[in-house]
């Protein structure tokens, strides 16, 4: 088997950590910062949208989004993201990572701004406009997943590649936190400038007309971090692995990497071995033989992870209410409710979400991807069962602290675990010419799980007694039974993890076996 690699790729694999590594992390990471801000900020303002556009005179409780409208507003970006992951993943392999990278960011900028605008003033026109632009916002966000992961993996050296890709993904935590902080600042500023009574005191006056600006400003702010990095994203060189292995332009690969590595690499050094890349396609028998089970493993583990991860909001409201972070809606004004929801979610992000991401960054190149993913799924299963089995105990007064602790650990081990590793591994184990496509397929499978987790379980988790179900929802199987199902999802994720190989300390070409001949005939020809 030919075991030679391109000189430029060897240079990348053994390169010391340099300034361009941190630049790439910042450029790719700010995309993920924006992704998280845009995807999660909508949950901060949905209560406000219900109060503004679905207020019913004489109702004892504030207006809320009807179930179908709530599902559309929250879910349409997920559908856009799934579509974008598949499309831009494929396009990234066809046109190159860099050419597509600026397009996804500009789409995010334009649609973030447009999400805060609306055609007309009726509830129907506002929601239709919001859903339309959130779909295309999600489409752009979807492209960022395969492109950012692939670019970072192809720039990094093999010693710290896991940490670099994890650091890009970890910017999600800061994006979620930023969404909460921006919402706190905007809602507090408007609340102080336009004071209002609680809903129970004066239903009409509790939502001031100026509240309509609040949700628009929060959503439109998502364009700011994306705009900041747009210039640098356009001026990034194409990755050497794409240029040399896919585009077959050794001269350009040498020039690009000489610039970033600050080492002179000539095209002559590259040309001799520029044909090591295999030419099999995604739907070929050769791909199935080499990577079929790998793709099943990365797609299915991400799918089960996201079912559990995105269903966490099922019991957030129980936690927030139990510890007094969020009082009953009727005891607050509209802007006060926005402020308290943002404060609660920011504390969860600060204490559980952000630390989990960065523990992964610190340990992934020490422990390896496989151990962290297995540990994460196992601990999530344990803590979900710890919530489910004595669920009635946790929900009685005085026992809420234990519930919160277990909930926090579940979130921590999701992020120090499969939520990070399912993003990292697909960017490492597939050949360069199919890397972005396969990452997009894996990510889209995850987003399908997110849709099921967010909306399927929202209906499933409703109380078995129709009278006790949330307004507008039919009876479900209850939160306790839903937690058992989610524990089962985590267990399935753990089993499918064994289909994914360990990649720690290996070069991308070694992992994907791109220098391995496609079949025995080719091997014999090469040997002869």
């Amino acid at each position: 088997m030919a075991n030679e690699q391109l000189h430029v790729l060897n240079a990348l694999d053994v390169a010391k950590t340099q300034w361009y590594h941190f630049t790439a992390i910042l450029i790719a990471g700010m995309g993920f910062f924006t992704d998280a801000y845009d995807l999660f900020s909508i949950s901060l303002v949905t209560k406000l949208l219900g109060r503004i556009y679905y207020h019913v005179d004489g109702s004892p409780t504030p207006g809320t989004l009807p179930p179908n409208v709530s599902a559309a507003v929250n879910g349409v970006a997920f559908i856009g993201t799934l579509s974008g992951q598949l499309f831009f993943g494929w396009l990234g392999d066809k046109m190159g990572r860099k050419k597509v990278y600026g397009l996804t960011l500009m789409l995010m900028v334009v649609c973030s701004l447009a999400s805060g605008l609306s055609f007309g003033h009726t509830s129907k026109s506002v929601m239709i406009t919001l859903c339309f632009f959130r779909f295309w916002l999600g489409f752009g966000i979807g492209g960022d997943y395969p492109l950012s992961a692939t670019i970072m993996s192809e720039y990094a050296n093999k010693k710290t590649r896991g940490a670099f890709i994890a650091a890009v993904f970890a910017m999600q935590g800061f994006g979620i936190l930023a969404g909460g902080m921006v919402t706190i600042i905007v809602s507090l500023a408007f609340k102080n400038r336009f004071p209002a009574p609680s809903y129970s005191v004066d239903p009409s006056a509790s939502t001031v007309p100026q509240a309509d600006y609040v949700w628009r400003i929060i959503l439109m702010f998502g364009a700011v971090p994306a705009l900041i990095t747009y210039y640098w994203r356009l001026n990034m060189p194409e990755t050497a692995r794409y240029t040399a292995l896919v585009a077959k332009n050794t001269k350009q690969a040498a020039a690009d990497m000489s610039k970033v590595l600050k080492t002179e690499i000539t095209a002559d050094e590259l040309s001799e071995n520029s044909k090591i890349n295999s030419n099999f396609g995604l739907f070929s028998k050769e791909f199935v033989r080499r990577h079929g089970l790998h793709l099943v493993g990365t797609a299915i583990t991400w799918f089960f992870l996201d079912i559990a991860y995105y269903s966490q909001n099922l019991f957030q409201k129980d936690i927030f209410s139990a510890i007094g972070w969020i009082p009953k809606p009727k005891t607050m004004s509209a802007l006060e409710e926005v402020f308290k929801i943002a404060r609660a979610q920011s504390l969860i992000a600060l204490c559980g979400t952000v630390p989990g991401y960065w523990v992964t960054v610190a340990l992934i190149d020490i422990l390896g991807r496989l151990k962290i993913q297995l540990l994460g799924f196992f601990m999530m299963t344990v803590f979900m069962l710890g919530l489910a089995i004595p669920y009635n105990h946790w929900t009685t007064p005085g026992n809420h602290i234990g519930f919160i602790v277990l909930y926090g650990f579940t979130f921590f081990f999701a992020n120090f675990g499969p939520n990070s590793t399912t993003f990292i591994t697909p960017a490492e184990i597939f050949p360069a010419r199919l890397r972005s496509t396969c990452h997009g397929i894996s990510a889209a499978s995850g987003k399908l799980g997110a849709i099921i987790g967010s909306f399927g379980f929202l209906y499933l988790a409703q109380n078995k007694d129709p009278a006790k179900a949330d307004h507008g929802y039919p009876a479900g199987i209850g939160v306790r039974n839903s937690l058992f199902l989610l524990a089962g999802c985590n267990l399935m994720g753990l089993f499918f993890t064994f289909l994914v190989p360990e990649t720690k300390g290996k070069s991308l070409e070694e992992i994907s076996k791109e220098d391995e001949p496609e079949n025995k005939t080719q091997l014999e020809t090469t040997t002869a």
Side-chain angles (χ1 to χ4, degrees), residues 277-300:
N277 191 35
S278 302
N279 292 314
F280 56 82
L282 179 65
F283 300 105
S284 66
K285 289 181 181 177
E286 189 67 18
F287 177 86
V288 172
R289 182 182 74 82
R290 294 191 187 199
H291 300 292
L293 287 178
H294 296 165
L295 186 57
V296 170
T298 57
I300 297 298

Side-chain angles (χ1 to χ4, degrees), residues 32-74:
F32 262 86
F33 179 98
T34 308
D35 296 348
Y37 182 97
D38 290 332
L39 281 178
F40 289 91
S41 59
I42 191 69
S43 65
L44 299 168
V45 298
T46 47
K47 296 278 189 185
L48 180 61
L49 289 171
R51 286 196 186 229
I52 295 171
Y53 294 104
Y54 291 90
H55 170 70
V56 178
D57 287 334
S59 172
T61 56
T64 57
L65 296 180
N68 60 328
V69 176
S70 178
V73 168
N74 286 285

